[in-house]
Each structure stands twice: as structure tokens, then as C-alpha cells.
Amino acid sequence: MRVTINHEVCIGSGLCALTAPAVFTQDDDGYSALVPGHEDSADDPMVREAVRACPVQALSVSGD
């Protein structure tokens, strides 16, 4: 399963990076970014929690 970020929707709240810091980080502008090599980490329960917690639903999991 793959996690994706809709950068058109992301507001940079940082909840994803706080919830699953091994998978999410923030770019230089403060918006969500994936840690390189972790695009396929959607099986991690903390990633699922980050997707659920995103206030603007900018995160999604595909392939389930």
C-alpha cells in the first residue's frame, strides 16, 4: 500500500509529521512531505492514524 500527499490541499498543520515522524516530514515551506524511501509505508498503524488525523484530508492510502 502506498501513501500519498495532495500538496494542493495540505495546509502544513504538521500533524502527520508529529504522528508518524518515520514516514512524514515537513518541507522548507512547512508543508507535508514523505521521508524518502517510505512511500510504501501505509501498513504502519501510525501512518493510518496520520491519514485519519489530517484536518484537511490531504493524505491518502491507496492499494488496499
Side-chain angles (χ1 to χ4, degrees):
M1 288 184 280
R2 192 163 187 86
V3 61
T4 57
I5 303 166
N6 183 337
H7 296 284
E8 306 242 339
V9 176
C10 180
I11 60 171
S13 72
L15 286 175
C16 57
L18 290 171
T19 305
V23 177
F24 297 101
T25 187
Q26 289 181 289
D27 65 17
D28 292 338
D29 295 321
Y31 294 102
S32 182
L34 289 169
V35 173
H38 291 276
E39 297 83 2
D40 295 321
S41 298
D43 288 331
D44 182 332
M46 295 313 292
V47 170
R48 297 277 185 167
E49 179 60 22
V51 170
R52 187 200 65 74
C54 180
V56 294
Q57 273 92 59
L59 308 175
S60 63
V61 172
S62 59
D64 19 40

